[in-house]
Amino acid sequence: MVKKAADNNLAESAQWIRNHVQPYLPDLTFTTLTSPDGALSFLVIDIPASPMAPHHVYGTAAKDKDQQAAVVPYRDADHTAWMVEHQIERAYRDRLTRTYHAQEEADRLLAHALENVLPEQAEPSAWLVAVARPERLLPRSAPSLAREKAPDLFASARSQRLARNSSVVGPLTGLDIALSNPRPGLRSWVFSTLLLRMGREIYTELHHNGSTVLAANVSWKALRGDGVADPALKDILVDADVVGAGCRDALALALELARRLGVDSTVHVTTVIVTAQPAPLAPVVTEYGSFRTIPDHARRPRRIQPATALLNPADEDDHLRASAQETFTDLMHQFGITPYL
């Protein structure tokens, strides 16, 4: 009976927060503590610092039940106080500053990845590049991922069942040859096949602050087996199957690192397809189970806009699969194609 009451309180509290707090708080942790004899239970709600502060709490005004009043709470020592106008104004300025710096850091990671991979390509190629960054970066004092733990992390990320058809070899599998020899980067571990000149070119960074970078050449053998690229074709090929596998791997890797390092905030993932050459990008798809072709109806854009996703370390496979599908869809829709993982 006590456990049932505690479960009800947890559900009611979570629902109340969803209905009354704006912007929504996605990173709350609910824990039920029960006394040794089982007679008492307590619901503990951990509310971490929010990058979206200030948050408005809406409730029914006492004098008029149809009127909705809102207050903005904040912690003052060991009790809750309510912000006045000038404090709310300053809180919004602080939020905009945090947002700007977060976007600046994500752009820096993306630019750094492009500087590493684009000059190293053996021939004109398109690259899938995904960068992930937690809302709250881990501090320098936080324990970093041990070098010998990296292969196990990649194996766990690959084991995520995010695709209905997992026959396509994703970037994380193609990186196996480099997992035994991670190179140190700037507060990060770097894994790369760029200098091997064999197989698909892949580049990955695992940062000690919880950020990740995953880049993969999506032009390599795009028309393989039963298809040979036309020498007169000036377009740069984009393998849609590898793009889908890359979206899946990028999100799984970001989530796995966040869990291993104890990240307690939302993780932002930005994924894009880029190339160093100003040439049209042509999508290659699989039809009838094995036939590789460039659809006649496909668009051939010269630039692909980034796709974004939000992850939470507590997300289940269903949410992760939906985020991977949405990212894949956002990228391939720009070619006029509706894809499925």
Side-chain angles (χ1 to χ4, degrees), residues 51-65:
M52 292 303 294
H55 292 266
H56 291 256
V57 179
Y58 290 83
T60 302
K63 293 183 179 181
D64 185 350
K65 294 188 180 299

Side-chain angles (χ1 to χ4, degrees), residues 105 108-110 112-113 116 130-134 137-139 142-146 153-154 183-191 203-214 253-254 257-258 260-261 263:
E105 175 64 14
R108 186 194 66 78
L109 275 177
L110 181 59
H112 174 67
N116 279 295
V131 298
R133 180 186 183 278
L137 296 174
L138 293 176
S144 59
L145 179 71
L153 183 146
F154 279 91
R183 310 303 299 173
L186 178 58
R187 293 189 53 76
S188 64
W189 293 115
V190 179
F191 306 81
Y203 179 88
T204 302
E205 295 177 2
L206 302 180
H207 289 253
H208 302 337
N209 63 12
S211 300
T212 64
V213 174
L214 176 62
L253 181 65
L257 182 65
R260 295 293 181 95
L261 296 183
V263 170

Side-chain angles (χ1 to χ4, degrees), residues 167-296:
S167 61
V168 178
V169 176
L172 294 187
T173 300
L175 204 62
D176 274 350
I177 193 172
L179 292 186
S180 62
N181 188 32
R183 310 303 299 173
L186 178 58
R187 293 189 53 76
S188 64
W189 293 115
V190 179
F191 306 81
S192 174
T193 66
L194 298 183
L195 300 180
L196 299 179
R197 301 303 183 195
M198 54 183 292
R200 189 179 306 282
E201 297 162 298
I202 306 165
Y203 179 88
T204 302
E205 295 177 2
L206 302 180
H207 289 253
H208 302 337
N209 63 12
S211 300
T212 64
V213 174
L214 176 62
N217 183 331
V218 293
S219 296
W220 183 71
K221 290 190 176 180
L223 283 173
R224 58 187 183 274
D226 56 1
V228 178
D230 183 350
L233 183 66
K234 302 301 181 182
D235 300 344
I236 295 178
L237 302 180
V238 175
D239 190 327
D241 290 342
V242 179
V243 170
C247 292
R248 174 193 68 208
D249 283 358
L251 269 63
L253 181 65
L255 192 60
E256 189 62 30
L257 182 65
R259 289 170 174 169
R260 295 293 181 95
L261 296 183
V263 170
D264 64 351
S265 65
T266 300
V267 178
H268 291 251
V269 185
T270 301
T271 308
V272 68
I273 298 172
V274 295
T275 182
Q277 289 72 27
L281 299 170
V284 178
V285 302
T286 301
E287 293 184 344
Y288 309 111
S290 61
F291 183 65
R292 306 284 293 169
T293 184
I294 301 173
D296 293 335

Side-chain angles (χ1 to χ4, degrees), residues 13 71 89 93 100 107 131 150 162 189 208 266 270 280 295 334:
S13 298
V71 292
E89 179 187 7
R93 284 202 306 269
Y100 172 78
D107 291 343
V131 298
L162 303 186
W189 293 115
H208 302 337
T266 300
T270 301
Q334 297 177 62

